[in-house]
Amino acid sequence: MDKLFAKLYGHDEKIIEHQKNRYKEILNRFKELFPQSTAEIQFFSTPGRTEVGGNHTDHNHGRVLAAGVNLDAVAAAAKTDDSLITVYSKGYKDAFVVDTNDLDIKEQEKETTFALIRGIAARFKELGYNIGGFNAYIASDVLGGSGLSSSACIEVLLGTILSHLYNDGQIDVQQLAMIGQYAENVYFGKPSGLMDQMACAVGGFVTIDFKDPKKPIVKKIDFDFESQNYSLLVVDTGGSHADLTADYASIPAEMKAVAQVLGAQVCRELTKEQVIENIPLIRQKVNDRAVLRALHFLNENERVTKQVEALEEGNFDKFLSLVKDSGNSSWKWLQNCYTTHNPLEQGITLALALTEDFIDSIGKGACRVHGGGFAGTIQVFLPTDKVKEYIDEIEPILGEGAVTVLNIRPVGTIKVDLDEGDF
């Protein structure tokens, strides 16, 4: 398995050995939980994802750039002869059990794993695909709150299991992403966009254009990140997301308010010239921050196109410069680096300031706020030989384990072809 694991997790021998032991543990745990299972046990892997460009653009029908990462959720799964899907997840004592004969929405299941399982099975059936029971044990390295989309990763993983166990693995990965989004929107009750699921499903660098959100244009970018001798870091700056609902909601609302002043519904329908010409009117009808956020959208939307072009041209330095510009725009124009409801707590801005100072000292790299913002994580691109030095400088301030070192995984959601004999 060395060759495949190197592709999924990187070429470090210690990491490959760790993954071998991890798969053994998953297999053994499956056998403990399902001792009566006689069907073939199969393995599946779905990566987490990171947003690279297009900060808060998708909800106004903009473009995004994302990538699958080498942290993943792995499942051991096997068919059953009944209609029950039984899923155990590492860290949870009890199983999640859903009967595929009962796929109606359950209000009491909202925001639970039961809802995701039921929603995915329901959407499979609606689309004419085969469904049935299976047993599964899942262990995920994509931790909740990491900004790497743990829920989307699990949704795509569950869809991948059903695709291979009951549909010969023939369902397109982009379709699996849309099924995951459907389950999250309709059954789980979270109105999320498609970026997270699509990046987890497709892997590598992927750009998505949401101009028509019902028919997003998805494109995988052929770029060998590993050859650049760079690492991608996600840095947890602390802070709670608990009271940030109003902050998150204000961004799409203010952008759409600007669009509506100018007779449109979303900022994608505007030009920068239109906004600038009408700033006096927008300030009067909405507010100054809304103007800034609309301008961020319009610049960031074009910036994604430039990032994609830089990657396709193999111009990594230009790409990094655009990552830096994206972060600068989020900090100054979008203003999602701290909440105005608690301006004394600024973990993200502090981490960005320290990281920018480090990057200036070595003359290489880029950083930006990661994901929704206001609290949580930042994203950093650094030369691999400088990572340890950075960690030694930042973790005494932000806490041990604050830095997670990643690579871009070129492969999306897959069935891992190995059998027990390999162990």
Side-chain angles (χ1 to χ4, degrees):
M1 298 309 299
D2 286 21
K3 188 174 181 181
L4 176 59
F5 280 3
K7 194 170 187 179
L8 297 181
Y9 304 110
H11 289 84
D12 187 304
E13 291 182 6
K14 290 181 180 178
I15 291 175
I16 292 174
E17 191 62 30
H18 165 74
Q19 292 298 336
K20 288 181 181 179
N21 290 328
R22 180 181 176 220
Y23 276 69
K24 288 179 190 177
E25 290 171 6
I26 292 169
L27 176 65
N28 290 335
R29 186 66 179 136
F30 179 93
K31 290 179 175 179
E32 290 172 7
L33 293 167
F34 306 106
Q36 306 305 318
S37 178
T38 57
E40 178 190 2
I41 301 171
Q42 300 183 54
F43 283 89
F44 304 89
S45 165
T46 303
R49 74 97 187 103
T50 182
E51 173 204 282
V52 181
N55 194 217
H56 279 283
T57 52
D58 57 339
H59 47 60
N60 268 250
H61 300 186
R63 304 181 186 96
V64 298
L65 176 63
V69 298
N70 60 334
L71 294 183
D72 67 344
V74 173
K79 271 187 176 183
T80 61
D81 296 328
D82 57 27
S83 59
L84 298 182
I85 294 176
T86 303
V87 178
Y88 281 91
S89 183
K90 186 175 182 179
Y92 293 85
K93 181 181 177 182
D94 298 322
F96 302 97
V97 183
V98 169
D99 191 337
T100 57
N101 289 326
D102 179 11
L103 298 178
D104 293 335
I105 296 171
K106 314 284 184 187
E107 287 300 320
Q108 68 272 21
E109 287 184 351
K110 293 280 187 177
E111 299 187 12
T112 71
T113 301
F114 294 100
L116 293 179
I117 297 170
R118 201 179 304 275
I120 289 164
R123 190 60 173 161
F124 262 72
K125 190 173 181 179
E126 287 175 13
L127 294 171
Y129 299 125
N130 299 320
I131 60 172
F134 64 82
N135 295 325
Y137 173 69
I138 297 173
S140 178
D141 286 342
V142 187
L143 301 177
S146 64
L148 300 174
S149 293
S150 56
S151 59
C153 170
I154 296 298
E155 291 157 19
V156 174
L157 179 66
L158 290 167
T160 304
I161 294 170
L162 277 174
S163 173
H164 283 273
L165 294 187
Y166 287 98
N167 298 274
D168 299 320
Q170 295 302 303
I171 301 176
D172 182 77
V173 294
Q174 294 188 24
Q175 181 68 269
L176 293 178
M178 289 186 280
I179 290 170
Q181 184 202 17
Y182 173 88
E184 187 163 310
N185 291 174
V186 178
Y187 279 70
F188 188 84
K190 181 181 176 183
S192 64
L194 184 62
M195 176 182 71
D196 296 350
Q197 292 87 352
M198 195 63 74
C200 293
V202 175
F205 282 101
V206 57
T207 185
I208 311 169
D209 188 337
F210 291 104
K211 186 173 184 178
D212 180 352
K214 293 182 179 178
K215 295 180 181 178
I217 300 170
V218 181
K219 180 181 179 184
K220 186 165 183 175
I221 301 158
D222 184 19
F223 181 80
D224 183 4
F225 178 76
E226 195 169 12
S227 68
Q228 304 301 315
N229 296 315
Y230 262 72
S231 291
L232 167 62
L233 315 180
V234 172
V235 184
D236 185 357
T237 70
S240 170
H241 290 75
D243 300 319
L244 299 176
T245 303
D247 292 289
Y248 292 131
S250 71
I251 294 177
E254 289 181 11
M255 288 182 181
K256 290 173 182 176
V258 170
Q260 287 160 10
V261 168
L262 301 182
Q265 294 301 310
V266 291
C267 280
R268 183 62 182 271
E269 299 169 14
L270 306 177
T271 66
K272 186 162 66 171
E273 290 71 25
Q274 275 181 289
V275 173
I276 291 173
E277 286 173 8
N278 289 282
I279 284 176
L281 176 63
I282 298 168
R283 294 180 75 187
Q284 179 187 339
K285 297 282 189 180
V286 194
N287 58 62
D288 290 348
R289 189 174 69 176
V291 175
L292 288 165
R293 285 175 164 174
L295 290 171
H296 162 83
F297 171 91
L298 293 163
N299 286 329
E300 185 80 346
N301 196 49
E302 292 305 312
R303 192 176 291 115
V304 170
T305 301
K306 294 175 183 176
Q307 285 181 303
V308 171
E309 290 173 354
L311 290 172
E312 290 178 334
E313 294 166 359
N315 191 339
F316 193 61
D317 287 340
K318 181 181 177 183
F319 165 77
L320 289 179
S321 177
L322 291 163
V323 169
K324 182 178 179 180
D325 291 344
S326 172
N328 192 40
S329 181
S330 291
W331 191 336
K332 294 179 180 177
W333 298 27
L334 183 63
Q335 299 179 28
N336 67 331
C337 290
Y338 65 90
T339 171
T340 55
H341 299 105
N342 185 15
L344 300 183
E345 184 180 297
Q346 295 200 29
I348 284 179
T349 39
L350 176 60
L352 287 171
L354 294 169
T355 303
E356 287 184 1
D357 190 60
F358 181 87
I359 289 170
D360 287 345
S361 72
I362 64 172
K364 294 180 179 179
C367 64
R368 64 194 284 274
V369 64
H370 186 229
F374 299 110
T377 58
I378 68 167
Q379 179 185 75
V380 187
F381 288 89
L382 283 180
T384 299
D385 61 1
K386 296 295 182 180
V387 169
K388 184 181 183 303
E389 184 182 344
Y390 174 76
I391 293 174
D392 289 344
E393 182 173 311
I394 205 83
E395 286 199 344
I397 298 165
L398 298 179
E400 186 177 351
V403 180
T404 301
V405 183
L406 303 170
N407 275 307
I408 304 299
R409 166 167 150 165
V411 180
T413 188
I414 60 166
K415 174 179 175 288
V416 181
D417 289 318
L418 76 164
D419 59 48
E420 292 179 47
D422 293 321
F423 293 117

